[in-house]
């Protein structure tokens, strides 16, 4: 009997050994487990697990975009210069690396739908500000 996505995520997040958690996250084959894991993760614990998720070859575009937004990547989209001077180098490095990977097309399309968590005004302002190649950050993706 295999575990449900929820059970797999709870099992991973319940691990006391951080190194074991990172190793197990690297072995996850199911994109949905990675997606839910990113959403359930306590971001106050740092960027090691989100980094392990995006480094997993089974991480797809919807998961990468969700992690970008969960990490407050929208702040980077709104003002890249200010974000580059962030007082949190760990945040800056994670967000800029993920931004670059997404723009380079390093994540395959997903079966999971992702809708950017932007209201109409934010969407409009970003669309005016961003280059066409960056529209991936403000458009729906995945199973539509």
């Amino acid at each position: 009997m295999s575990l449900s996505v929820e059970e797999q995520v709870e099992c991973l997040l319940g691990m006391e050994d951080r190194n074991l958690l990172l190793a197990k996250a690297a072995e996850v084959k199911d994109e949905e487990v990675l997606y839910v894991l990113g959403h359930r993760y306590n971001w106050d614990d740092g960027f090691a697990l989100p980094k392990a998720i995006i480094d997993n070859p089974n991480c797809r575009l919807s998961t990468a975009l969700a992690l970008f937004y969960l990490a407050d990547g929208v702040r980077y989209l709104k003002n890249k210069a200010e974000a580059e001077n962030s007082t949190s180098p760990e945040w800056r490095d994670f967000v800029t690396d993920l931004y670059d990977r997404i723009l380079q097309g390093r994540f395959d399309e997903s079966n999971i739908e992702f809708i950017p968590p932007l209201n109409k005004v934010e969407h409009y302002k970003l669309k005016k500000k961003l280059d066409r190649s960056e529209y991936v950050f403000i458009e729906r993706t995945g199973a539509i």
Side-chain angles (χ1 to χ4, degrees):
M1 181 172 149
S2 64
L3 297 174
S4 71
V5 169
E6 298 291 328
E7 291 169 325
Q8 291 177 61
V9 169
E10 291 306 315
C11 184
L12 287 166
L13 291 175
M15 291 182 175
E16 297 288 328
D17 184 336
R18 183 177 170 95
N19 292 327
L20 180 60
L21 167 61
L22 298 177
K24 291 293 184 185
E27 297 172 358
V28 171
K29 302 278 188 244
D30 185 341
E31 73 172 306
E32 190 175 355
V33 171
L34 294 172
Y35 185 86
V36 174
L37 184 60
H39 277 277
R40 296 276 173 82
Y41 176 65
N42 179 357
W43 286 77
D44 291 338
D45 291 340
F47 291 90
L49 182 59
K51 178 102 171 82
I53 293 171
I54 66 171
D55 287 344
N56 183 311
N58 298 300
C59 181
R60 303 286 184 258
L61 182 58
S62 293
T63 301
L65 287 166
L67 292 177
F68 183 80
Y69 275 93
L70 288 167
D72 196 24
V74 72
R75 181 168 47 133
Y76 180 76
L77 293 176
K78 289 178 179 177
N79 191 338
K80 292 179 184 121
E82 181 182 306
E84 291 289 340
N85 295 320
S86 169
T87 58
S88 174
E90 189 179 24
W91 171 81
R92 181 196 59 230
D93 293 347
F94 178 79
V95 169
T96 57
D97 176 52
L98 184 51
Y99 169 87
D100 290 341
R101 288 188 198 194
I102 291 169
L103 277 188
Q104 293 165 3
R106 304 246 311 263
F107 299 99
D108 293 335
E109 285 295 325
S110 177
N111 292 324
I112 299 171
E113 181 179 29
F114 177 76
I115 301 170
L118 301 169
N119 64 41
K120 288 181 182 184
V121 173
E122 289 174 313
H123 184 270
Y124 175 77
K125 286 180 177 180
L126 281 172
K127 191 168 186 175
K128 286 182 67 173
K129 181 179 191 65
L130 298 177
D131 182 84
R132 185 121 177 82
S133 66
E134 295 172 299
Y135 283 9
V136 66
F137 293 99
I138 60 171
E139 296 175 340
R140 291 178 116 148
T141 190
I144 298 175

